[in-house]
């Protein structure tokens, strides 16, 4: 799939399909209106017949529209004009791409990217259009021996910007959009791979080739090296499996070495059977997704490096399997963590926090400006927030706020949860410094409380993506979330570091001026 950015009149596009928007109650967008005028009211006539009313996400493909040079004109419903915001914009783009797949058109020029969304510039419009398009087109079919060949698959989408002077911003948006989408694809592919292929060693190899491809530093630690570091809690989880664990460290230096790095830490349980505290069988296949924290970290790292963000970034992934065996940890076992704190393992299925706690201790050495861990940590998180919203926990409210804001901006929402001291009580153990579970009430909070005890040395946030990382049912698969949130967060950090904001660049001007400087 290729993208390009262009400025020009819709009626003059010599292409298989031109895509324009229609608001509810049949109000035409600027580009639709141009086509309507040149075709002597062809679109208005069609709309009057009532086949399309502009409801958000509806589409209608028209053929042989008079005085245009394209084979088809697609009308896309935008909903009520005064309600047209970020979400509606993304939805309109997605609806148009889905409808395109049902036509024989392999090239299209979309004017949806010109429809103003309050407070957003051309860069944002194009970036979001690219991310939304590639999100819809994503497929995971590498294990199908008979891949349905789609000779009519979309090959090129041109996104229109209002004026030629917008082209540069459009190109910036395109580059950023491709970076985010590339990161999401890496995350989804890793997540969707079954655990017999996506083992800890496979995750490590993926990270290594990523580092080679982008020319950044990679360090892969094997079992002996992990042992030498004293990461006993991490190893207590890994030891139930015949698959050896890996600790992955990737380093990207995008600015002066003296600038403290942002560190991302990912939970990479490539399969979570529960261990000796075995999970019930139903739906256990979904525990191949228990490495999505790791996949998110690698996907975000890839995007940030591709965008060459001016900041320093370190990705750390702890990856292993959680399996029952004669060598596995047993309920009641007590382990001394890398930090020196001791842990009574009351449930071997609460393993994510056990591998992350040592990783959080390990990253102290990088003198980070912030550490963000990402994990499919608790089923309780799904009870609290469902599948819409990622949970954010932090020992610094400002950091939680920055993450929530970035999620809002990227259409990848998150919500702050409390980490009040009182919840720490639930982790008390009479035999060790703490237990690894805190009972049924507030399960995602007590899990975060557990992690917080290992993150005292720096500003830290934890994202629980148990509900948002993947979907079940007929659309099952990894979502690529929260890569967009984290890339936005890093972009905002980079903007702040370099003292200016590209994202909040010059506000867009109105469409009225655009007819004058039309190109072809
Ligand atoms: N990976 C799971 C959490 C999970 C479960 C995510 C289902 C998404 C869907 C985690 O390792 C786990 O098993 N957590 C336990 C903790 C409990 C034993 C305190 C849970 O949530 O049940
Ligand atoms: Mn578990
Ligand atoms: Zn798990």
């Amino acid at each position: 799939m290729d993208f390009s950015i262009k400025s020009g009149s819709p009626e003059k596009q010599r292409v298989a399909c031109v895509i324009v928007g229609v608001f509810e109650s049949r109000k035409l967008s600027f580009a639709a209106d141009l086509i309507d005028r040149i075709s002597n009211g062809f679109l208005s006539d069609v709309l009057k017949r009532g086949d399309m009313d502009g409801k958000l996400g509806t589409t209608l493909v028209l053929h042989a529209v008079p005085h245009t040079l394209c084979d088809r004109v697609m009308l896309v419903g935008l909903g009520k004009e005064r309600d047209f915001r970020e979400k509606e914009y993304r939805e309109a783009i997605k609806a148009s791409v889905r409808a395109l797949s049902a036509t024989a058109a392999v090239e299209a020029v979309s004017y949806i990217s010109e429809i103003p969304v309050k407070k957003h510039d051309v860069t944002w419009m194009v970036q979001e259009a690219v991310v939304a398009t590639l999100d819809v087109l994503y497929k995971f079919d590498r294990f199908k021996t008979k891949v349905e060949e789609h000779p009519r698959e979309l090959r090129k989408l041109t996104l229109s910007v209002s004026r030629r002077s917008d082209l540069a911003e459009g190109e910036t948006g395109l580059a950023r959009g491709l970076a985010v989408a590339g990161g999401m694809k890496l995350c989804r592919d890793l997540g969707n791979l079954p655990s017999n292929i996506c083992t800890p060693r496979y995750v490590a190899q993926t990270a290594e080739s990523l580092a080679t491809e982008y020319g950044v530093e990679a360090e892969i630690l094997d079992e002996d090296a992990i042992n030498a570091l004293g990461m006993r809690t991490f190893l207590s989880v890994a030891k139930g499996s015949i698959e050896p664990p890996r600790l992955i460290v990737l380093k990207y230096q995008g600015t002066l070495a003296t600038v403290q790095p942002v560190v991302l830490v990912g939970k990479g349980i490539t399969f979570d059977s529960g261990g000796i505290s075995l999970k019930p069988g139903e739906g256990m296949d979904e525990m191949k997704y228990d490495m999505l924290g790791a996949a998110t970290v690698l996907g975000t790292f890839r995007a940030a490096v591709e965008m060459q963000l001016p900041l320093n970034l370190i990705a750390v992934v702890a990856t292993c399997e959680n399996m029952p065996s004669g060598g596995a940890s047993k309920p009641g076992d007590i382990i001394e963590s890398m930090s020196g704190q001791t842990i009574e393992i009351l449930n071997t299925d609460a393993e994510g926090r056990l591998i992350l706690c040592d990783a959080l201790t390990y990253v102290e050495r990088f003198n980070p400006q912030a550490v963000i861990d990402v994990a499919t940590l608790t089923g309780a998180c799904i009870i609290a927030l469902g599948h819409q919203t990622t949970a954010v926990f932090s020992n610094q409210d400002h950091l939680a706020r920055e993450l929530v804001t970035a999620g809002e901006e990227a259409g990848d929402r998150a919500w702050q949860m409390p980490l009040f001291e009182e919840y720490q009580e639930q982790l008390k153990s009479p035999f060790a410094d703490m237990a690894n579970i805190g009972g049924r009430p507030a399960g995602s909070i007590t899990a975060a409380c557990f992690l917080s005890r290992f993150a005292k040395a720096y500003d830290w946030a934890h994202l629980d993506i148990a509900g948002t990382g993947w979907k079940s049912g007929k659309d099952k698969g990894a979502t690529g979330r929260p890569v967009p949130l984290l890339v936005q967060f890093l972009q905002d950090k980079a903007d702040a570091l370099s003292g200016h904001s590209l994202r909040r660049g010059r506000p867009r001007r109105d469409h009225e001026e655009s007819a004058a400087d039309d190109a072809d």
Side-chain angles (χ1 to χ4, degrees):
M1 239 302 271
D2 282 332
F3 287 94
S4 69
I5 311 296
K6 186 172 188 174
S7 170
S9 287
E11 75 280 8
K12 293 181 193 155
Q13 304 305 317
R14 214 178 277 280
V15 68
C17 189
V18 163
I19 305 170
V20 296
V22 180
F23 290 105
E24 227 172 280
S25 68
R26 306 196 296 248
K27 182 179 183 285
L28 300 178
S29 63
F30 183 77
D33 189 54
L34 282 182
I35 292 189
D36 195 45
R37 284 174 200 219
I38 202 108
S39 64
N40 305 318
F42 189 88
L43 300 192
S44 311
D45 284 347
V46 167
L47 291 170
K48 266 187 215 128
R49 276 173 229 138
D51 288 357
M52 214 262 189
D53 53 10
K55 278 220 168 52
L56 182 64
T58 58
T59 56
L60 182 66
V61 178
L62 307 173
H63 294 259
V65 176
H67 310 297
T68 61
L69 299 179
C70 55
D71 302 337
R72 304 169 189 76
V73 172
M74 183 193 292
L75 306 181
V76 181
L78 305 172
K80 294 204 180 72
E81 188 168 14
R82 66 185 150 78
D83 296 338
F84 192 73
R85 306 257 154 68
E86 294 88 348
K87 183 162 83 68
E88 287 73 20
Y89 174 65
R90 293 189 184 98
E91 194 43 54
I93 294 278
K94 287 184 180 181
S96 68
V97 175
R98 282 190 203 106
L100 263 183
S101 308
T103 72
V106 295
E107 290 195 24
V109 181
S110 178
Y111 285 80
I112 307 297
S113 48
E114 276 192 17
I115 298 164
V117 179
K118 256 190 222 118
K119 292 200 280 231
H120 291 293
D121 56 14
V122 173
T123 306
W124 184 92
M125 300 289 295
V126 172
Q127 172 174 342
E128 294 301 318
V130 171
V131 172
T133 299
L134 293 175
D135 189 33
V136 168
L137 295 178
Y138 176 83
K139 275 196 308 246
F140 185 74
D141 54 13
R142 71 172 77 168
F143 296 105
K144 296 265 190 198
T145 54
K146 293 187 196 74
V147 177
E148 302 139 44
E149 280 298 330
H150 258 301
R152 304 264 163 91
E153 220 158 70
L154 187 59
R155 277 205 296 266
K156 183 168 182 192
L157 183 64
T158 299
L159 298 168
S160 175
V161 295
S162 304
R163 288 159 299 127
R164 272 196 241 183
S165 53
D166 289 335
L167 287 170
E169 272 190 54
E171 293 293 345
T172 305
L174 171 54
R176 290 184 184 182
L178 289 175
V180 173
M184 288 174 78
K185 179 173 159 49
L186 173 62
C187 174
R188 297 171 90 170
D189 282 349
L190 274 174
N192 289 332
L193 280 171
S195 72
N196 59 324
I197 292 171
C198 186
T199 59
R201 282 175 294 168
Y202 184 94
V203 177
Q205 280 159 14
T206 305
E208 221 162 9
S209 23
L210 180 67
T212 311
E213 186 184 345
Y214 286 92
V216 300
E217 199 182 317
E219 197 185 347
I220 311 290
L221 286 77
D222 65 9
E223 197 162 356
D224 290 341
I226 296 167
N227 192 31
L229 282 167
M231 302 178 90
R232 290 170 294 270
T233 324
F234 178 17
L235 291 176
S236 79
V237 176
K239 71 182 187 170
S241 171
I242 56 166
E243 284 292 339
R246 291 288 183 267
L247 185 76
I248 301 163
V249 185
L250 298 179
K251 291 182 188 159
Y252 161 68
Q253 196 187 316
T255 187
L256 301 174
T258 49
V259 175
Q260 291 175 277
V262 173
V263 177
L264 303 176
V265 176
K267 169 181 174 182
I269 297 289
T270 56
F271 190 78
D272 181 11
S273 71
I276 296 298
S277 312
L278 195 64
K279 286 180 180 296
E282 197 187 322
M284 206 204 267
D285 61 290
E286 297 197 350
M287 282 299 114
K288 71 172 184 177
Y289 292 119
D290 211 22
M291 35 57 70
L292 279 173
T296 297
V297 165
L298 294 178
T300 303
F301 185 86
R302 183 190 196 275
V305 177
E306 187 165 310
M307 287 161 86
Q308 292 286 293
L309 290 181
L311 48 74
N312 296 329
L313 183 64
I314 298 177
V316 174
V317 164
T319 176
C320 68
E321 278 187 344
N322 185 25
M323 294 293 279
S325 81
S329 285
K330 304 167 290 295
D333 288 1
I334 295 176
I335 311 287
E336 189 196 351
S337 67
M338 185 182 185
S339 73
Q341 300 176 89
T342 56
I343 301 160
E344 187 183 16
I345 302 177
L346 293 180
N347 190 320
T348 64
D349 197 12
E351 85 298 341
R353 61 198 81 180
L354 297 178
I355 71 171
L356 287 173
C357 69
D358 280 348
L360 290 172
T361 302
Y362 173 78
V363 302
E364 280 180 18
R365 68 191 59 208
F366 301 126
N367 181 28
Q369 61 165 296
V371 176
I372 300 161
D373 78 68
V374 191
T376 48
L377 201 66
T378 61
C381 184
I382 310 175
I383 305 302
L385 294 174
H387 298 286
Q388 313 302 325
T389 313
T390 295
V392 181
F393 301 84
S394 181
N395 60 11
Q396 297 292 331
D397 282 338
H398 74 86
L399 180 55
R401 247 186 332 266
E402 284 164 28
L403 288 160
V404 169
T405 305
E408 192 64 43
E409 179 96 353
D412 181 8
R413 282 196 296 204
W415 201 252
Q416 187 180 3
M417 302 271 279
L419 255 188
F420 304 135
E421 201 52 41
E422 287 81 346
Y423 291 104
Q424 297 279 356
E425 294 276 311
Q426 290 176 236
L427 294 172
K428 275 195 174 148
S429 157
F431 301 144
D433 295 341
M434 70 196 87
N436 79 326
I437 53 171
R440 297 251 305 159
S444 57
I445 300 176
T446 53
C449 282
F450 181 95
L451 296 179
S452 74
R453 297 177 179 215
F454 301 85
K456 292 217 160 102
Y458 42 70
D459 290 3
W460 159 80
H462 155 63
L463 302 181
D464 194 333
I465 60 167
T468 51
W470 79 89
K471 286 186 175 146
S472 314
K474 71 168 177 32
D475 296 327
K476 76 174 177 181
T479 59
R481 294 180 66 184
V483 171
L485 178 159
L486 284 169
V487 176
Q488 186 65 52
F489 170 81
L490 294 174
Q491 209 172 287
D492 291 346
K493 271 262 173 283
D495 286 351
L497 269 175
S498 50
H500 68 278
S501 167
L502 285 170
R503 182 170 54 77
R504 293 192 195 81
R506 193 173 47 73
R508 317 185 65 229
R509 272 182 272 152
D510 284 328
H511 281 86
E512 271 63 48
E513 308 158 46
S514 68
D517 61 358
D518 266 340
D520 54 336

